């Protein structure tokens, strides 16, 4: 039996890539020319989740369960421009597979009900407001850096591709007279506060769109001369401009557009630098090549067609966010509204509550330079605010920054980052609400609220306590690296605070009032958005102690009691009367459709039952991804790539259980062989020579190890993992 021992020394080992042997797979019908980009289906995650057995309940008639919420359009990795069709404003990513009309093509995206800026739409002669056209999925294609659709009502063939900061549209009108391009600038997923557009010479326009106080500038050239601009309700939400093109040109209309978050002048410079005189096909070839180079860093062998498509689709989906925000000249607009230029590329804030678990770890392995720039961008924002920023909940910049540093990413100002993270951990008024109470009591107390409902707003005290304890652990790693022994000791002690919200009488993490008494009444099955738990119930959070799982097992009373509780997590049915918009995808009480329990399937390792973990991982990979009639639905919201990255790690047989720690728990890959090349050119291989599913032993560079974990040194030095199965 394998025991827990993490001190593993991995020797360097050379290897060659494994070939890829899989039948050609239609993945949305895109024009991808690469072996790996051809396996990406950009539509996975766009379809609705309808299976009530997977949802866990019967949704109300007007409810679209939060599932997928991704866009199928064109992007290159971590780009400013993400060019995609809009079928519904104020929807997650603007595109819902069941819709039948396209309203425009927008240039930013994420999947969080925001962005979707600068909508364009080709409009034929005779079309009237409101502008939109029907379309059919049979005439729709997509692949990385490409999207195509035929607008049936308008008789226009649309092709889209993009660069880091630019989009290229190609419109082929059936009727070449009276052609127009709609700049629907009064609309976005956010409320539009203001917008402008003006003509620049004979064939260009420029302007801006302002949403939530932020201006997005654009500069666009059109391949046909402009006759006039028809503007309706300038500077009002819902207003628009029709750019009328002169007749006489029978070629497709090409629109080349660049964005900037600084100025129109910078947008024009971005367009000149990245597109210039390049043809549509040249821009697409370059974008597709970028994706092929990235995706081919992991080559797999031995999966079936569905597994291969799902793996590369999820790998692709993991590298769309955070998004670039600096221009080709290096300028960007900071959080204070000041135009700056630094020695790094400026990026948006990661979706830290969601993706610190795995997506940002994957990014750090694939793209260390991008990761360092993202951290520098966060430091920039932190210096303005006095605290390191977070996203939504928790303080998981601590995990992201500490984990990146521990994995060898050092090209950022770690002292400034550490200073800001200490502010988070010790000062009131910043990133960690209730931090003074947490320090004084060892937990975040909950409000005493009578008869709370799902939507009740409280302190989310249990979730905060658990997350702060983990973030304390993460920050302690950085403190140790920086020889700050005083804070290191304190943070290590604070990392044990998870035990303060563990109720021995119920064996659940439970809300605690300021006087130390437990929240009563207590129903561990009832989900809350923000009372005791954040988007979870007690079942979902009661196994979240990724930095001290052995200590958690002891709290439960030992291996047998812990295992029995885990068994119940995956077998106790979800109450179909408990309906929450963003909670779906159940196996028992375990919810895969939202993040709070994503570590739970791995918990069996800590009672030496890896085969039980593997059973659940395999079930999740098989039943929660690529599901529904079209095999295009996900069991929950992708959350900027977190759900996708979970699949990637689960399929590969490695998982960053505690993402701040530079190590990975080893599971059984769904592929017989995996070949992974790091940015430094090191070769990592993972093999399952027996092809079976129950883990029996692990070999590293040919020698059995006495652990379930492998060190990140594997990625620094190269090496081979053999998963011995039975």
């Amino acid at each position: 039996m394998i025991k827990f021992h993490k001190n593993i020394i991995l020797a360097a080992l050379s290897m060659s890539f494994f070939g890829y042997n899989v039948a050609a797979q239609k993945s949305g019908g895109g024009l991808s020319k690469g072996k790996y980009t051809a396996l990406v289906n950009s539509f996975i995650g766009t379809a609705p989740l309808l299976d009530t057995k997977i949802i866990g309940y019967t949704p109300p008639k007007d409810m679209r369960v939060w599932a997928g919420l991704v866009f199928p359009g064109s992007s290159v990795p971590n780009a400013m421009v993400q060019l995609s069709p809009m079928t519904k404003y104020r929807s997650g990513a603007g595109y819902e597979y069941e819709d039948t009309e396209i309203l425009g093509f927008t240039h930013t995206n994420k999947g969080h009900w925001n962005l979707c800026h600068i909508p364009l739409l080709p409009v034929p002669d005779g079309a009237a407001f409101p502008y939109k056209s029907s379309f059919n999925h049979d005439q729709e294609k997509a692949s990385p850096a490409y999207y195509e659709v035929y607008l049936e009502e308008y008789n226009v063939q649309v092709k889209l591709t993009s660069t880091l900061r630019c989009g290229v549209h190609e419109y082929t009108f059936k009727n070449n007279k009276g052609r127009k391009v709609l700049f629907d600038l009064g609309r976005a997923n956010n409320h539009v506060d203001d917008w402008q557009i003006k003509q620049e010479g004979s064939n260009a326009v420029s302007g801006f769109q302002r949403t939530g106080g932020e201006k997005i500038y654009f500069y666009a050239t059109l391949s046909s001369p402009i006759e006039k601009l028809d503007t309706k309700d300038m500077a009002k939400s819902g207003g628009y401009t029709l750019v009328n093109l002169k007749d006489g040109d029978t070629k497709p209309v090409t629109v080349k557009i660049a964005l900037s978050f600084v100025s129109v002048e910078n947008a024009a410079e971005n367009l000149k630098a990245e597109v210039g005189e390049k043809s549509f096909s040249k821009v697409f070839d370059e974008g597709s090549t970028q994706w092929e180079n990235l995706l081919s860093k992991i080559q797999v062998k031995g999966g079936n067609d569905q597994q291969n498509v799902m793996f590369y689709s999820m790998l692709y989906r993991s590298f769309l966010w955070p998004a670039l925000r600096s221009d080709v000249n290096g300028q960007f607009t900071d959080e204070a509204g000041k135009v700056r230029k630094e020695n790094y590329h400026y990026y948006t804030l990661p979706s830290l509550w969601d993706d610190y678990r795995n997506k940002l770890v994957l990014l750090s392995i694939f793209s260390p330079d991008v990761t360092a720039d993202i951290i520098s961008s966060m430091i920039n924002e932190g210096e303005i605010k006095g605290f390191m920023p977070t996203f939504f909940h928790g303080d998981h910049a601590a995990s992201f920054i500490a984990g990146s540093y521990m994995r060898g990413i050092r090209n950022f100002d770690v002292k400034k980052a550490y200073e800001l993270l200490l502010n988070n951990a010790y000062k009131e008024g910043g990133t960690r609400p209730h931090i003074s109470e947490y320090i004084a009591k060892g937990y975040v107390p909950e409000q005493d609220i009578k008869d709370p409902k799902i939507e009740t707003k409280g302190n989310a005290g249990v979730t905060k306590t658990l997350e702060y304890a983990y973030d304390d652990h993460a920050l302690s790693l950085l403190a140790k690296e920086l020889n700050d022994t005083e804070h290191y000791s304190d943070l290590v002690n604070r990392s044990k605070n998870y035990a303060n919200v563990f109720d021995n009488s119920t064996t659940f993490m439970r809300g605690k009032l300021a006087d130390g008494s437990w929240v009563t009444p207590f129903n561990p099955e009832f989900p809350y958005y923000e009372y005791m738990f954040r988007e979870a119930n007690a079942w979902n959070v009661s196994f979240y102690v990724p930095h001290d799982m052995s200590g958690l097992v002891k709290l439960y009373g030992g291996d047998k009691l812990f295992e029995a509780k885990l068994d119940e997590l995956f077998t106790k049915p979800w109450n179909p009367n408990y309906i929450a918009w963003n909670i779906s995808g159940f196996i028992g009480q375990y919810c895969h459709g939202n993040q709070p329990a994503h570590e739970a399937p791995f918990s069996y390792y800590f009672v030496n039952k890896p085969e039980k973990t593997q059973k659940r991982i395999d079930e999740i990979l098989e039943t929660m991804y690529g599901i529904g009639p079209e095999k295009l639905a996900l069991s929950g919201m992708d959350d900027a790539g977190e759900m996708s990255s979970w699949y990637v790690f689960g399929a590969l047989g490695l998982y960053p259980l505690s993402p701040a720690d530079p190590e990975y728990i080893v599971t059984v890959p769904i592929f017989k062989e995996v070949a992974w090349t790091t940015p430094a050119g090191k070769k990592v291989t993972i093999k399952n020579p027996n092809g079976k599913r129950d883990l029996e032993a692990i070999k590293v560079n040919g020698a059995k190890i006495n652990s379930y974990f492998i060190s990140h040194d594997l990625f620094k030095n190269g090496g081979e993992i053999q998963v011995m199965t039975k």
Side-chain angles (χ1 to χ4, degrees):
M1 180 178 292
I2 302 174
K3 297 179 181 179
F4 285 95
H5 181 69
K6 301 179 183 180
N7 296 323
I8 305 162
I9 299 175
L10 300 174
L13 181 75
S14 63
M15 54 146 284
S16 61
F17 280 113
F18 291 107
Y20 201 102
N21 182 18
V22 65
Q25 175 80 24
K26 181 179 178 182
S27 300
L31 298 182
S32 177
K33 299 175 182 178
K35 181 189 298 185
Y36 299 98
T37 54
L39 289 165
V40 173
N41 186 338
S42 308
F43 294 101
I44 293 174
T46 64
L49 180 62
L50 303 174
D51 188 341
T52 56
K53 290 182 180 179
I54 291 191
I55 294 171
Y57 49 82
T58 300
K61 186 177 181 181
D62 61 344
M63 176 179 174
R64 191 186 199 265
V65 174
W66 287 11
L69 305 183
V70 300
F71 66 93
S74 174
S75 179
V76 293
N78 300 105
M80 179 185 295
V81 166
Q82 299 182 330
L83 177 52
S84 192
M86 287 294 293
T87 65
K88 184 180 295 180
Y89 286 95
R90 297 301 301 153
S91 61
Y95 179 96
E96 296 183 346
Y97 194 79
E98 65 271 29
D99 292 339
T100 59
E101 294 177 324
I102 286 178
L103 311 177
F105 302 97
T106 61
H107 293 80
T108 62
N109 216 300
K110 183 187 179 184
H112 275 76
W113 296 273
N114 60 353
L115 305 180
C116 296
H117 295 113
I118 322 293
L120 270 60
L121 183 71
V123 176
D125 190 32
F129 180 85
Y131 299 106
K132 57 186 178 181
S133 176
S134 57
F135 75 106
N136 192 300
H137 292 304
D138 291 340
Q139 295 177 298
E140 186 182 37
K141 301 174 183 177
S143 64
Y146 185 81
Y147 176 83
E148 177 181 342
V149 70
Y150 185 71
L151 302 179
E152 294 180 320
E153 203 168 334
Y154 282 1
N155 292 309
V156 180
Q157 188 76 30
V158 175
K159 297 180 181 180
L160 309 174
T161 190
S162 59
T163 67
L164 277 172
R165 303 171 180 90
C166 307
V168 181
H169 304 233
E170 185 179 278
Y171 306 143
T172 303
F173 289 80
K174 186 175 183 180
N175 178 9
N176 286 305
K177 292 184 178 181
R179 300 164 301 170
K180 306 172 185 67
V181 178
L182 172 69
F183 280 68
D184 204 3
L185 298 176
R187 296 210 283 183
N189 250 10
N190 302 85
H191 174 77
V192 176
D193 303 318
D194 191 12
W195 61 272
Q196 288 183 12
I197 187 172
K198 66 177 182 178
Q199 188 170 339
E200 302 266 7
S202 63
N203 73 327
V205 293
S206 67
F208 70 83
Q209 188 181 55
R210 188 176 72 195
T211 63
E214 182 177 52
K215 278 188 177 181
I216 301 90
Y217 299 89
F218 66 90
Y219 183 89
T221 63
L222 296 94
S223 59
S224 295
I226 297 170
E227 183 178 272
K228 63 176 180 176
L229 271 59
D230 285 335
T231 295
K232 306 293 183 183
D233 298 323
M234 173 73 87
K236 290 184 180 179
S237 182
Y240 60 88
T241 290
L242 286 168
V243 177
N244 292 260
L245 304 178
K246 291 183 179 179
D247 293 339
D249 186 355
T250 60
K251 295 180 180 178
V253 175
T254 301
V255 181
K256 298 177 178 179
I257 182 170
L259 302 189
S260 168
F261 288 76
V262 174
S263 67
V264 164
E265 292 74 21
N266 278 16
E269 187 178 355
N270 291 343
L271 188 63
K272 182 179 180 181
E274 292 187 1
V275 178
E277 300 301 316
K278 292 177 185 175
S279 66
F280 180 97
S281 60
K282 175 65 173 174
V283 174
F284 166 61
D285 284 348
E286 290 177 353
S288 182
T289 298
Q290 286 184 56
W291 280 114
E292 185 70 11
N293 290 341
L294 186 150
L295 298 173
S296 65
K297 296 301 181 185
I298 298 181
Q299 301 182 4
V300 300
K301 182 179 180 181
N304 60 42
D305 288 353
Q306 174 71 8
Q307 289 170 332
N308 294 331
V309 167
M310 187 59 61
F311 177 78
Y312 285 102
S313 298
M314 296 299 98
L315 186 60
Y316 158 78
R317 190 65 65 189
S318 301
F319 290 91
L320 295 171
W321 194 265
L324 182 67
R325 285 294 180 263
S326 53
D327 295 322
V328 292
N329 64 8
Q331 289 185 330
F332 61 90
T333 301
D334 68 17
E335 282 292 307
K338 180 182 177 181
V339 175
R340 303 174 61 150
K341 184 177 180 179
E342 304 290 347
N343 61 348
Y344 53 84
H345 298 100
Y346 190 71
Y347 286 87
T348 57
L349 182 67
S351 295
L352 289 163
W353 193 64
D354 312 302
D355 61 13
Y356 83 96
R357 291 172 166 83
N358 48 49
K359 201 285 286 290
L360 292 176
V361 176
L362 193 65
L363 184 72
S364 71
I365 299 172
F366 266 82
S367 307
D369 290 341
V370 171
T371 300
D373 284 349
I374 292 168
I375 294 172
S376 294
S377 303
M378 293 170 64
I379 294 170
N380 182 300
E381 183 177 341
E383 289 188 293
I384 293 168
K385 297 179 176 179
F387 296 89
M388 186 65 74
T390 193
F391 176 83
F392 189 67
H393 207 257
D395 183 21
H396 303 317
S399 177
F400 172 42
I401 294 171
S404 298
Y405 191 82
M406 299 295 287
R407 289 176 174 83
I409 297 174
R410 305 290 168 93
N411 48 332
F412 63 92
D413 193 333
V414 67
K415 290 184 178 179
K416 283 186 180 179
Y418 182 61
E419 179 184 339
L420 292 166
L421 289 168
L422 285 178
N423 287 350
N424 290 8
Y426 286 93
K427 293 183 179 180
E428 194 67 61
T431 303
R432 296 200 197 187
H434 310 285
I435 188 62
S436 297
E437 292 174 288
Y438 172 78
I439 292 172
K441 295 179 179 297
Y443 66 96
V444 175
E446 191 50 80
Q447 300 174 41
D448 191 3
I449 298 174
K450 304 303 180 185
D451 192 27
K453 307 291 190 267
I454 287 174
E455 299 81 6
T456 294
K457 289 189 176 182
N459 295 346
V462 176
T463 295
K464 281 186 173 67
T465 300
L466 295 175
E467 293 185 349
Y468 290 179
Y470 179 72
D471 296 326
D472 288 340
H473 164 75
L475 192 53
S476 77
L477 299 177
L478 206 50
K480 186 176 183 180
E481 289 289 312
L482 299 178
N483 298 313
D484 183 353
T485 55
E486 182 180 352
H487 282 117
Y488 170 73
S489 178
D490 186 46
L491 290 164
V492 167
N493 289 333
R494 282 169 45 169
S495 73
K496 308 295 185 183
N497 282 342
Y498 68 87
N500 294 333
V501 290
F502 184 81
D503 175 17
N504 285 299
S505 68
T506 62
T507 59
F508 283 107
M509 300 293 179
R510 181 176 178 180
K512 218 175 204 180
L513 301 178
D515 64 5
S517 61
W518 297 111
V519 168
T520 303
F522 175 67
N523 178 358
E525 297 178 42
F526 195 80
Y528 295 101
Y529 285 134
E530 206 170 346
Y531 181 66
M532 291 195 287
F533 317 110
R534 189 80 210 215
E535 299 185 9
N537 65 10
W539 278 104
N540 295 160
V541 305
S542 289
F543 300 93
Y544 176 81
V545 188
H547 59 294
D548 189 19
M549 290 299 293
S550 297
L552 182 65
V553 171
K554 290 178 182 177
L555 279 184
Y556 274 94
D559 289 7
K560 289 185 177 180
L561 292 174
F562 184 79
E563 181 181 355
K565 193 76 171 185
L566 263 180
D567 288 345
E568 193 176 3
L569 169 70
F570 289 103
T571 55
K572 186 178 182 63
W574 181 262
N575 188 326
N577 295 314
Y578 297 160
I579 299 174
W581 280 77
N582 54 348
I583 299 176
S584 63
F586 290 98
I587 301 173
Q589 291 290 308
Y590 172 76
C591 175
H592 195 70
N594 207 3
Q595 286 71 35
H598 273 189
E599 293 79 11
F602 301 91
S603 299
Y604 283 110
Y605 271 71
F606 296 88
V607 291
N608 287 305
K609 294 292 179 69
E611 68 279 2
K612 285 193 169 184
T613 281
Q614 198 58 53
K615 177 183 176 182
R616 294 306 176 188
I617 292 174
D618 290 349
E619 183 179 6
I620 292 165
L621 295 177
E622 185 69 24
T623 65
M624 298 288 168
Y625 292 84
I627 52 182
E630 305 93 355
K631 295 190 178 299
L632 296 178
L634 298 178
S635 59
M637 181 180 171
D638 191 44
D639 278 312
E642 195 276 345
M643 287 278 289
S644 296
S645 300
W646 198 102
Y647 185 97
V648 170
F649 278 118
L652 290 176
L654 297 176
Y655 192 79
L657 183 73
S658 173
D661 289 281
E663 63 186 13
Y664 310 89
I665 198 165
V666 178
T667 63
V668 181
I670 61 174
F671 305 106
K672 188 174 181 180
E673 297 177 346
V674 174
W676 191 333
T677 304
T678 72
K682 300 298 182 180
K683 312 296 183 180
V684 177
T685 61
I686 309 168
K687 297 182 179 180
N688 177 14
N690 297 337
K692 296 181 180 180
R693 303 308 302 155
D694 288 347
L695 181 65
E696 186 174 32
I698 301 165
K699 290 183 178 179
V700 176
N701 298 329
K704 284 187 179 182
I705 63 171
N706 192 32
S707 174
Y708 288 124
F709 286 87
I710 60 100
S711 166
H712 185 73
D713 288 346
L714 184 78
F715 290 97
K716 292 180 180 179
N717 303 323
E720 179 183 275
I721 303 170
Q722 280 195 3
V723 179
M724 311 309 294
T725 54
K726 57 181 178 180

